[in-house]
PDB file of all heavy atoms in Angstrom:
ATOM      1  N   SER Q 152      11.821 -16.294  12.039  1.00 97.00           N
ATOM      2  CA  SER Q 152      11.965 -15.627  10.748  1.00 97.00           C
ATOM      3  C   SER Q 152      10.904 -16.179   9.807  1.00 97.00           C
ATOM      4  O   SER Q 152      10.317 -17.236  10.053  1.00 97.00           O
ATOM      5  CB  SER Q 152      13.362 -15.857  10.160  1.00 97.00           C
ATOM      6  OG  SER Q 152      13.538 -17.213   9.780  1.00 97.00           O
ATOM      7  N   CYS Q 153      10.649 -15.465   8.729  1.00 97.00           N
ATOM      8  CA  CYS Q 153       9.705 -15.959   7.736  1.00 97.00           C
ATOM      9  C   CYS Q 153       9.988 -15.320   6.385  1.00 97.00           C
ATOM     10  O   CYS Q 153      10.697 -14.307   6.286  1.00 97.00           O
ATOM     11  CB  CYS Q 153       8.254 -15.707   8.156  1.00 97.00           C
ATOM     12  SG  CYS Q 153       7.697 -13.994   8.003  1.00 97.00           S
ATOM     13  N   MET Q 154       9.433 -15.941   5.352  1.00 97.00           N
ATOM     14  CA  MET Q 154       9.484 -15.384   4.010  1.00 97.00           C
ATOM     15  C   MET Q 154       8.225 -14.536   3.823  1.00 97.00           C
ATOM     16  O   MET Q 154       7.103 -15.015   3.987  1.00 97.00           O
ATOM     17  CB  MET Q 154       9.517 -16.496   2.964  1.00 97.00           C
ATOM     18  CG  MET Q 154       9.608 -15.992   1.542  1.00 97.00           C
ATOM     19  SD  MET Q 154      11.256 -15.436   1.121  1.00 97.00           S
ATOM     20  CE  MET Q 154      12.112 -17.031   1.029  1.00 97.00           C
ATOM     21  N   LEU Q 155       8.415 -13.269   3.506  1.00 97.00           N
ATOM     22  CA  LEU Q 155       7.299 -12.357   3.309  1.00 97.00           C
ATOM     23  C   LEU Q 155       7.165 -12.060   1.816  1.00 97.00           C
ATOM     24  O   LEU Q 155       8.098 -11.569   1.185  1.00 97.00           O
ATOM     25  CB  LEU Q 155       7.533 -11.057   4.090  1.00 97.00           C
ATOM     26  CG  LEU Q 155       6.414 -10.016   4.126  1.00 97.00           C
ATOM     27  CD1 LEU Q 155       6.583  -9.122   5.348  1.00 97.00           C
ATOM     28  CD2 LEU Q 155       6.389  -9.146   2.881  1.00 97.00           C
ATOM     29  N   ASN Q 156       6.020 -12.389   1.261  1.00 96.00           N
ATOM     30  CA  ASN Q 156       5.701 -12.056  -0.124  1.00 96.00           C
ATOM     31  C   ASN Q 156       4.585 -11.022  -0.117  1.00 96.00           C
ATOM     32  O   ASN Q 156       3.505 -11.268   0.436  1.00 96.00           O
ATOM     33  CB  ASN Q 156       5.247 -13.297  -0.892  1.00 96.00           C
ATOM     34  CG  ASN Q 156       6.391 -14.227  -1.217  1.00 96.00           C
ATOM     35  OD1 ASN Q 156       7.116 -14.021  -2.176  1.00 96.00           O
ATOM     36  ND2 ASN Q 156       6.567 -15.251  -0.385  1.00 96.00           N
ATOM     37  N   PHE Q 157       4.868  -9.879  -0.718  1.00 94.00           N
ATOM     38  CA  PHE Q 157       3.903  -8.783  -0.728  1.00 94.00           C
ATOM     39  C   PHE Q 157       3.612  -8.370  -2.161  1.00 94.00           C
ATOM     40  O   PHE Q 157       4.523  -8.276  -2.994  1.00 94.00           O
ATOM     41  CB  PHE Q 157       4.447  -7.585   0.049  1.00 94.00           C
ATOM     42  CG  PHE Q 157       3.585  -6.355  -0.074  1.00 94.00           C
ATOM     43  CD1 PHE Q 157       2.423  -6.233   0.664  1.00 94.00           C
ATOM     44  CD2 PHE Q 157       3.924  -5.334  -0.953  1.00 94.00           C
ATOM     45  CE1 PHE Q 157       1.611  -5.111   0.538  1.00 94.00           C
ATOM     46  CE2 PHE Q 157       3.125  -4.212  -1.080  1.00 94.00           C
ATOM     47  CZ  PHE Q 157       1.966  -4.108  -0.330  1.00 94.00           C
ATOM     48  N   ARG Q 158       2.345  -8.116  -2.445  1.00 92.00           N
ATOM     49  CA  ARG Q 158       1.952  -7.641  -3.771  1.00 92.00           C
ATOM     50  C   ARG Q 158       0.843  -6.609  -3.634  1.00 92.00           C
ATOM     51  O   ARG Q 158      -0.081  -6.781  -2.845  1.00 92.00           O
ATOM     52  CB  ARG Q 158       1.472  -8.791  -4.662  1.00 92.00           C
ATOM     53  CG  ARG Q 158       1.114  -8.358  -6.086  1.00 92.00           C
ATOM     54  CD  ARG Q 158       0.686  -9.542  -6.937  1.00 92.00           C
ATOM     55  NE  ARG Q 158       0.467  -9.159  -8.321  1.00 92.00           N
ATOM     56  CZ  ARG Q 158      -0.676  -8.648  -8.790  1.00 92.00           C
ATOM     57  NH1 ARG Q 158      -1.707  -8.477  -7.963  1.00 92.00           N
ATOM     58  NH2 ARG Q 158      -0.793  -8.324 -10.061  1.00 92.00           N
ATOM     59  N   VAL Q 159       0.949  -5.520  -4.394  1.00 89.00           N
ATOM     60  CA  VAL Q 159      -0.113  -4.530  -4.447  1.00 89.00           C
ATOM     61  C   VAL Q 159      -0.432  -4.237  -5.895  1.00 89.00           C
ATOM     62  O   VAL Q 159       0.460  -4.129  -6.743  1.00 89.00           O
ATOM     63  CB  VAL Q 159       0.276  -3.227  -3.695  1.00 89.00           C
ATOM     64  CG1 VAL Q 159       1.546  -2.608  -4.279  1.00 89.00           C
ATOM     65  CG2 VAL Q 159      -0.876  -2.212  -3.737  1.00 89.00           C
ATOM     66  N   SER Q 160      -1.707  -4.140  -6.193  1.00 86.00           N
ATOM     67  CA  SER Q 160      -2.183  -3.812  -7.530  1.00 86.00           C
ATOM     68  C   SER Q 160      -3.306  -2.798  -7.397  1.00 86.00           C
ATOM     69  O   SER Q 160      -4.212  -2.979  -6.573  1.00 86.00           O
ATOM     70  CB  SER Q 160      -2.693  -5.077  -8.234  1.00 86.00           C
ATOM     71  OG  SER Q 160      -3.341  -4.743  -9.452  1.00 86.00           O
ATOM     72  N   PHE Q 161      -3.231  -1.731  -8.165  1.00 81.00           N
ATOM     73  CA  PHE Q 161      -4.293  -0.735  -8.092  1.00 81.00           C
ATOM     74  C   PHE Q 161      -4.484  -0.058  -9.435  1.00 81.00           C
ATOM     75  O   PHE Q 161      -3.586  -0.032 -10.280  1.00 81.00           O
ATOM     76  CB  PHE Q 161      -4.015   0.316  -7.010  1.00 81.00           C
ATOM     77  CG  PHE Q 161      -2.667   0.975  -7.119  1.00 81.00           C
ATOM     78  CD1 PHE Q 161      -2.484   2.122  -7.863  1.00 81.00           C
ATOM     79  CD2 PHE Q 161      -1.578   0.439  -6.447  1.00 81.00           C
ATOM     80  CE1 PHE Q 161      -1.250   2.723  -7.966  1.00 81.00           C
ATOM     81  CE2 PHE Q 161      -0.328   1.035  -6.533  1.00 81.00           C
ATOM     82  CZ  PHE Q 161      -0.165   2.184  -7.300  1.00 81.00           C
ATOM     83  N   GLU Q 162      -5.670   0.466  -9.625  1.00 79.00           N
ATOM     84  CA  GLU Q 162      -6.017   1.137 -10.870  1.00 79.00           C
ATOM     85  C   GLU Q 162      -6.689   2.466 -10.564  1.00 79.00           C
ATOM     86  O   GLU Q 162      -7.734   2.517  -9.919  1.00 79.00           O
ATOM     87  CB  GLU Q 162      -6.948   0.270 -11.715  1.00 79.00           C
ATOM     88  CG  GLU Q 162      -7.358   0.909 -13.029  1.00 79.00           C
ATOM     89  CD  GLU Q 162      -8.285   0.033 -13.837  1.00 79.00           C
ATOM     90  OE1 GLU Q 162      -7.882  -1.115 -14.123  1.00 79.00           O
ATOM     91  OE2 GLU Q 162      -9.393   0.488 -14.155  1.00 79.00           O
ATOM     92  N   PHE Q 163      -6.059   3.542 -10.978  1.00 75.00           N
ATOM     93  CA  PHE Q 163      -6.658   4.860 -10.825  1.00 75.00           C
ATOM     94  C   PHE Q 163      -7.800   5.037 -11.810  1.00 75.00           C
ATOM     95  O   PHE Q 163      -7.792   4.455 -12.893  1.00 75.00           O
ATOM     96  CB  PHE Q 163      -5.621   5.948 -11.094  1.00 75.00           C
ATOM     97  CG  PHE Q 163      -4.680   6.203  -9.962  1.00 75.00           C
ATOM     98  CD1 PHE Q 163      -3.420   5.635  -9.957  1.00 75.00           C
ATOM     99  CD2 PHE Q 163      -5.048   7.018  -8.905  1.00 75.00           C
ATOM    100  CE1 PHE Q 163      -2.540   5.876  -8.925  1.00 75.00           C
ATOM    101  CE2 PHE Q 163      -4.169   7.261  -7.867  1.00 75.00           C
ATOM    102  CZ  PHE Q 163      -2.921   6.694  -7.876  1.00 75.00           C
ATOM    103  N   LYS Q 164      -8.738   5.880 -11.460  1.00 75.00           N
ATOM    104  CA  LYS Q 164      -9.774   6.265 -12.412  1.00 75.00           C
ATOM    105  C   LYS Q 164      -9.216   7.215 -13.463  1.00 75.00           C
ATOM    106  O   LYS Q 164      -9.771   7.348 -14.539  1.00 75.00           O
ATOM    107  CB  LYS Q 164     -10.948   6.892 -11.672  1.00 75.00           C
ATOM    108  CG  LYS Q 164     -11.671   5.891 -10.778  1.00 75.00           C
ATOM    109  CD  LYS Q 164     -12.879   6.487 -10.087  1.00 75.00           C
ATOM    110  CE  LYS Q 164     -13.585   5.410  -9.264  1.00 75.00           C
ATOM    111  NZ  LYS Q 164     -14.758   5.945  -8.536  1.00 75.00           N
ATOM    112  N   SER Q 165      -8.098   7.851 -13.116  1.00 73.00           N
ATOM    113  CA  SER Q 165      -7.444   8.784 -14.026  1.00 73.00           C
ATOM    114  C   SER Q 165      -6.120   8.217 -14.515  1.00 73.00           C
ATOM    115  O   SER Q 165      -5.260   7.845 -13.718  1.00 73.00           O
ATOM    116  CB  SER Q 165      -7.188  10.121 -13.307  1.00 73.00           C
ATOM    117  OG  SER Q 165      -6.229  10.897 -13.986  1.00 73.00           O
ATOM    118  N   ALA Q 166      -5.923   8.163 -15.849  1.00 73.00           N
ATOM    119  CA  ALA Q 166      -4.646   7.713 -16.405  1.00 73.00           C
ATOM    120  C   ALA Q 166      -3.532   8.686 -16.054  1.00 73.00           C
ATOM    121  O   ALA Q 166      -2.378   8.302 -15.895  1.00 73.00           O
ATOM    122  CB  ALA Q 166      -4.756   7.563 -17.918  1.00 73.00           C
ATOM    123  N   PHE Q 167      -3.874   9.960 -15.908  1.00 72.00           N
ATOM    124  CA  PHE Q 167      -2.876  10.967 -15.532  1.00 72.00           C
ATOM    125  C   PHE Q 167      -2.332  10.693 -14.144  1.00 72.00           C
ATOM    126  O   PHE Q 167      -1.133  10.771 -13.898  1.00 72.00           O
ATOM    127  CB  PHE Q 167      -3.508  12.356 -15.606  1.00 72.00           C
ATOM    128  CG  PHE Q 167      -2.554  13.480 -15.287  1.00 72.00           C
ATOM    129  CD1 PHE Q 167      -1.413  13.674 -16.046  1.00 72.00           C
ATOM    130  CD2 PHE Q 167      -2.808  14.340 -14.232  1.00 72.00           C
ATOM    131  CE1 PHE Q 167      -0.538  14.713 -15.764  1.00 72.00           C
ATOM    132  CE2 PHE Q 167      -1.939  15.376 -13.936  1.00 72.00           C
ATOM    133  CZ  PHE Q 167      -0.802  15.567 -14.707  1.00 72.00           C
ATOM    134  N   HIS Q 168      -3.215  10.331 -13.200  1.00 69.00           N
ATOM    135  CA  HIS Q 168      -2.766   9.985 -11.859  1.00 69.00           C
ATOM    136  C   HIS Q 168      -1.894   8.733 -11.876  1.00 69.00           C
ATOM    137  O   HIS Q 168      -0.964   8.595 -11.083  1.00 69.00           O
ATOM    138  CB  HIS Q 168      -3.970   9.772 -10.940  1.00 69.00           C
ATOM    139  CG  HIS Q 168      -4.610  11.048 -10.487  1.00 69.00           C
ATOM    140  ND1 HIS Q 168      -5.922  11.115 -10.090  1.00 69.00           N
ATOM    141  CD2 HIS Q 168      -4.121  12.307 -10.402  1.00 69.00           C
ATOM    142  CE1 HIS Q 168      -6.221  12.369  -9.749  1.00 69.00           C
ATOM    143  NE2 HIS Q 168      -5.141  13.103  -9.928  1.00 69.00           N
ATOM    144  N   SER Q 169      -2.193   7.811 -12.794  1.00 70.00           N
ATOM    145  CA  SER Q 169      -1.365   6.617 -12.921  1.00 70.00           C
ATOM    146  C   SER Q 169       0.057   6.989 -13.309  1.00 70.00           C
ATOM    147  O   SER Q 169       1.028   6.429 -12.796  1.00 70.00           O
ATOM    148  CB  SER Q 169      -1.947   5.669 -13.968  1.00 70.00           C
ATOM    149  OG  SER Q 169      -3.160   5.108 -13.522  1.00 70.00           O
ATOM    150  N   LYS Q 170       0.198   7.926 -14.225  1.00 71.00           N
ATOM    151  CA  LYS Q 170       1.530   8.372 -14.620  1.00 71.00           C
ATOM    152  C   LYS Q 170       2.247   9.042 -13.453  1.00 71.00           C
ATOM    153  O   LYS Q 170       3.439   8.834 -13.233  1.00 71.00           O
ATOM    154  CB  LYS Q 170       1.441   9.335 -15.810  1.00 71.00           C
ATOM    155  CG  LYS Q 170       1.220   8.645 -17.139  1.00 71.00           C
ATOM    156  CD  LYS Q 170       1.491   9.597 -18.295  1.00 71.00           C
ATOM    157  CE  LYS Q 170       1.406   8.868 -19.628  1.00 71.00           C
ATOM    158  NZ  LYS Q 170       1.769   9.758 -20.760  1.00 71.00           N
ATOM    159  N   LEU Q 171       1.536   9.843 -12.691  1.00 70.00           N
ATOM    160  CA  LEU Q 171       2.141  10.484 -11.525  1.00 70.00           C
ATOM    161  C   LEU Q 171       2.622   9.434 -10.521  1.00 70.00           C
ATOM    162  O   LEU Q 171       3.733   9.510  -9.999  1.00 70.00           O
ATOM    163  CB  LEU Q 171       1.141  11.415 -10.849  1.00 70.00           C
ATOM    164  CG  LEU Q 171       0.805  12.728 -11.559  1.00 70.00           C
ATOM    165  CD1 LEU Q 171      -0.343  13.425 -10.846  1.00 70.00           C
ATOM    166  CD2 LEU Q 171       2.018  13.631 -11.610  1.00 70.00           C
ATOM    167  N   ALA Q 172       1.781   8.453 -10.262  1.00 69.00           N
ATOM    168  CA  ALA Q 172       2.101   7.441  -9.254  1.00 69.00           C
ATOM    169  C   ALA Q 172       3.289   6.590  -9.658  1.00 69.00           C
ATOM    170  O   ALA Q 172       4.023   6.087  -8.803  1.00 69.00           O
ATOM    171  CB  ALA Q 172       0.886   6.545  -9.011  1.00 69.00           C
ATOM    172  N   SER Q 173       3.503   6.433 -10.958  1.00 68.00           N
ATOM    173  CA  SER Q 173       4.578   5.553 -11.417  1.00 68.00           C
ATOM    174  C   SER Q 173       5.943   6.017 -10.946  1.00 68.00           C
ATOM    175  O   SER Q 173       6.869   5.227 -10.837  1.00 68.00           O
ATOM    176  CB  SER Q 173       4.568   5.463 -12.947  1.00 68.00           C
ATOM    177  OG  SER Q 173       4.914   6.722 -13.524  1.00 68.00           O
TER     178      SER Q 173
END
Side-chain angles (χ1 to χ4, degrees):
S152 69
C153 75
M154 182 76 72
L155 186 157
N156 286 278
F157 172 78
R158 183 178 185 275
V159 59
S160 171
F161 53 90
E162 180 180 303
F163 281 98
K164 294 183 177 179
S165 162
F167 182 60
H168 283 156
S169 291
K170 282 194 174 184
L171 287 172
S173 67

